Amino acid sequence: MLWLGWPGIHVWDDKDKREIEQQLRKEYGSVPLFLPPSDFDLYYEGFSNGTIWPLFHYFPQNAHYEAREWEAYKEINSRFRDKLLELAEPGDLLWIHDYHLMLLPLMVREALPEARIGFFLHIPFPSSELFRMLPWREDILRGLLGSDLIGFHSHAYARHFQSSLLRLLGLEQEFGRVMVGDRSVRVDTFPIGVDVNRFESAMGTEAVKEELADLREETEDRKIVLTVDRLDFTKGIVERLESFDHFLTENPDWRRRVTLISLAVPSRTGVPEYQALKKEVDEAVGRINGRHGTPGWVPIWYMYRFLPFDRLVALYAAAEVALVTPLRDGMNLVAKEYLAAHPDGKGVLILSETAGAAEELGEALIINPHDAEQISAALLRALTMPEDEQLARNSAMLARLRRYDVVRWAEDFLGQLEPESASEPPHVQVRLDEANQDLLLQAYRSATQRLLLLDYDGTMVPFVARPKDAAPDEELINLLRELVGDQKNTVVIISGRDRETLQDWLGNTGAHLVAEHGAQIKRAADKGWKLQTASNSEGWKDELRPLLEFYVDRTPGSMLEEKTASLAWHYRRAEPELGDQRAKQLLENLEGLVANTPLVIMQGSKVLEVKESGIGKGRAARLWLDGEAVYDFILSTGDDVTDEEMFEVMPDGAWSIRVGGDRVSAAKYSLQTPAAFRELLRTLSGR
Ligand code: GDG
């Protein structure tokens, strides 16, 4: 394993650089990347910590958007790429960490298309409504999508990320995967753990025992409430001090019996906002100590510095209560470390609901960090909590922390990144890779009677926002004509579209046309269409139409399509989540109405369709399969559930291909995109 990172200092002298390089390599197996100081500030304090950090922590008012800083961010990311390209060897797994390097995955992907790249974000990913404020939002998303696996601490962050992909790039996810061209990117959650063993074993050392004894003596028999953070506006330090103030005011009997030890580690001290925050915290501490302190009792012990590990562990161990109240936090390791430093299960953790850790540590006293009243009540409850309740709460959390510690976390992520263990969704098809395409081509060439059953939308052409914009291009028309022109071929275009559109768009290819999922068929030799429905009654449409229209009205962007034997409600252009929600409701409504009627409901890709039963692509395909001709090569292709009926009736030996990535399907093979299928059509037509 090799670490690559900025070494934390600027070095000008080449000899010094070499020396640092050698030492880091030898002692830590790490490689420093020295960065130009001018760009560095724009990159680090500028874009990373002045734009991304506040925006991703729900402080948009603190975020600024400077083109210069963005340029520096790109520049530094590309320096990381260059260094990585020097170091990486074929077969290496590359794991990129955090918000400073969000463009790096794509940069590396472009240079090393076959690389295995993982990315982990240590901070929250905000709601898409906040994320979209960023002027360079698409670049950031595309940068991240260069990865094979993107990890977040919590399910909520993964959801926000996926929602941004959907809303800003129109990319949908399926089984936690997103298709980017013909690559699939996985999005998953890996809540980071702590090194539990390190804390447990530190507890037994002399150094920690001594520290602990000193602390006990200094605090006498007072109870200790501990807070530990980097001094940052996301940590809610001032709000927390004020809650403690409120607690002392409300509970005067606790004066002299409790001490708040507040450890704040200096951070980003060159940035004016952080200097202002430091002043605010200093003043709050002074004010509260002035208000409540008495001779011999200082309510808040405030330390503004970095402590050695032993002293930190002793503080954790001594504290009866840990007060962890960030306004936003990716995970928050302090909460977990506090528990790890209490292997006997004693102690009470008060934890903010807006820390990622709250998703896992549900047995803690969970509070809203803006609610002084609630924090004050939680403090009282924590200080008076019976020991058996403490043990019950903590043992459940400790067991989880021991199981999913930081080593498991890293192994889990890297394991998922390994190509062989990337778990596939169930029952997916075999990819129609080059070798399989060669086999298909051989079978095609050696056949004398071929049947080609081709779906249109999502198979031969990609989906577009408005269905009427999906007309075939000239190349497709020519390809189809060439295929139809081959005496050995029977070409059937089998679609859910209405007759007029199919006739208009594809009538001149000479192919047989099947419209409305098989309700209407026009053989190439015939002049007109033939209706396939059993009953000619259309009375049911008048009954259902008002309901569908109601859904059109309450779902902006959706529309109603009326065909001879069906009514279809399309919601591709609706707001995605609203569309899905309304589709579920409509489905429920319709199910009640069509029970015991000859009608069935079909769920396609962003469409709900009611049609007469007995109509379907499977039955339509049968008309050819069961006809007089004996085919020695059969190809059927489609992309959505309406095509499944067709795949299901395919005889052994037929080539069935589902276009559009991996999904549960009766088709044998999959191709990722309509473009890949187009390429196959070209090969078949001999181009
Ligand atoms: C990110 C995310 C996410 C603190 N003071 C001292 C000291 N510390 C150590 C603690 C703990 C760490 O610093 C702080 O933990 P955070 O969880 O706040 O993490 P960050 O590194 O700031 O940042 C965060 C984390 O990544 C992991 O993914 O949890 O949400 O912002 O380990 O022990 N250590 C010593 N002396 C101190 O005075 N020795």
Side-chain angles (χ1 to χ4, degrees), residues 53 57 98 120 122-124 153 192 199 228-230 235 263 265 305-309 312 316 329-334 337:
W53 176 269
H57 283 89
D98 229 2
F120 190 84
H122 288 262
I123 63 173
H153 281 313
I192 198 170
F199 282 87
V228 177
D229 335 72
R230 217 163 28 73
K235 301 290 182 182
L263 174 62
V265 179
R305 59 176 175 272
F306 184 86
L307 291 186
F309 182 69
L312 179 71
Y316 279 144
D329 214 331
M331 171 57 75
N332 193 296
L333 297 178
V334 168
E337 290 171 1

Side-chain angles (χ1 to χ4, degrees), residues 288-358:
I288 297 163
N289 279 343
R291 180 175 307 153
H292 301 283
T294 56
W297 178 59
V298 180
I300 304 172
W301 292 9
Y302 173 54
M303 290 179 270
Y304 178 66
R305 59 176 175 272
F306 184 86
L307 291 186
F309 182 69
D310 292 340
R311 286 202 64 195
L312 179 71
V313 176
L315 272 178
Y316 279 144
E320 273 84 8
V321 179
L323 187 56
V324 183
T325 62
L327 303 179
R328 280 288 157 176
D329 214 331
M331 171 57 75
N332 193 296
L333 297 178
V334 168
K336 293 188 170 183
E337 290 171 1
Y338 172 73
L339 293 170
H342 288 257
D344 59 2
K346 289 189 206 153
V348 183
L349 173 63
I350 301 178
L351 179 60
S352 164
E353 64 192 12
T354 41

Side-chain angles (χ1 to χ4, degrees), residues 202-262:
M203 296 290 298
T205 61
E206 280 313 311
V208 170
K209 282 184 189 157
E210 271 172 35
E211 288 288 346
L212 201 52
D214 287 351
L215 257 172
R216 289 249 150 73
E217 203 180 296
E218 285 160 19
T219 51
E220 296 164 2
D221 53 357
R222 293 190 185 107
K223 293 215 170 180
I224 300 177
V225 176
L226 177 68
T227 79
V228 177
D229 335 72
R230 217 163 28 73
L231 192 81
D232 193 284
F233 55 84
T234 61
K235 301 290 182 182
I237 301 174
V238 176
E239 289 80 354
R240 179 197 303 150
L241 291 171
E242 277 160 8
S243 304
F244 187 60
D245 184 6
H246 188 77
F247 169 78
L248 292 177
T249 308
E250 293 287 301
N251 301 283
D253 54 321
W254 273 97
R255 290 183 192 163
R256 307 181 69 93
R257 292 166 58 203
V258 61
T259 301
L260 178 73
I261 301 186
S262 191

Side-chain angles (χ1 to χ4, degrees), residues 534-581:
S535 74
N536 276 332
S537 143
E538 290 192 12
W540 63 267
K541 281 203 211 158
D542 295 334
E543 279 180 37
L544 291 187
R545 196 178 295 104
L547 175 70
L548 292 162
E549 281 169 348
F550 174 59
Y551 274 83
V552 171
D553 294 342
R554 53 202 294 256
T555 319
S558 72
M559 60 175 215
L560 180 61
E561 186 189 8
E562 185 151 352
K563 305 180 198 174
T564 16
S566 69
L567 283 175
W569 179 70
H570 294 269
Y571 57 99
R572 184 168 305 280
R573 288 182 64 219
E575 199 284 323
E577 273 154 22
L578 179 69
D580 287 342
Q581 185 191 331

